[in-house]
Amino acid sequence: MYARGKKVRRTNIYLNEKQHEKLHEQAEKEGVPVAELVRRAVDAFLMWYDPSYQPTPPNPLQTRKSNSSPG
């Protein structure tokens, strides 16, 4: 599986109802997969802890929502 032009690994996370709802609302609003929002949040977290961390820039063609997954 690839995202942002790089090979990615699948990871499961557990969200409370409010987090899940708000994340899906934002994904719909931006037209991107929830996974992209999670990757952005992880990048922000890592940059906060390590200012030398450089996230891979998103590729607009690969971050667009091509289909919806069941929520």
Side-chain angles (χ1 to χ4, degrees):
M1 184 183 309
Y2 293 85
R4 299 184 189 186
K6 301 275 184 174
K7 190 171 182 179
V8 296
R9 295 183 63 172
R10 183 181 182 113
T11 302
N12 293 322
I13 61 170
Y14 294 90
L15 305 172
N16 65 40
E17 286 295 321
K18 186 174 184 179
Q19 291 169 327
H20 184 267
E21 178 183 322
K22 293 295 185 180
L23 199 55
H24 279 269
E25 285 175 9
Q26 188 63 34
E28 282 295 317
K29 187 186 220 181
E30 292 189 32
V32 296
V34 168
E36 176 59 21
L37 296 182
V38 171
R39 284 189 291 270
R40 291 177 191 174
V42 169
D43 281 340
F45 174 82
L46 293 172
M47 287 187 299
W48 186 68
Y49 270 102
D50 178 4
S52 68
Y53 174 78
Q54 294 293 313
T56 303
N59 178 337
L61 297 176
Q62 292 176 331
T63 58
R64 294 184 116 167
K65 193 175 223 175
S66 58
N67 61 9
S68 289
S69 59

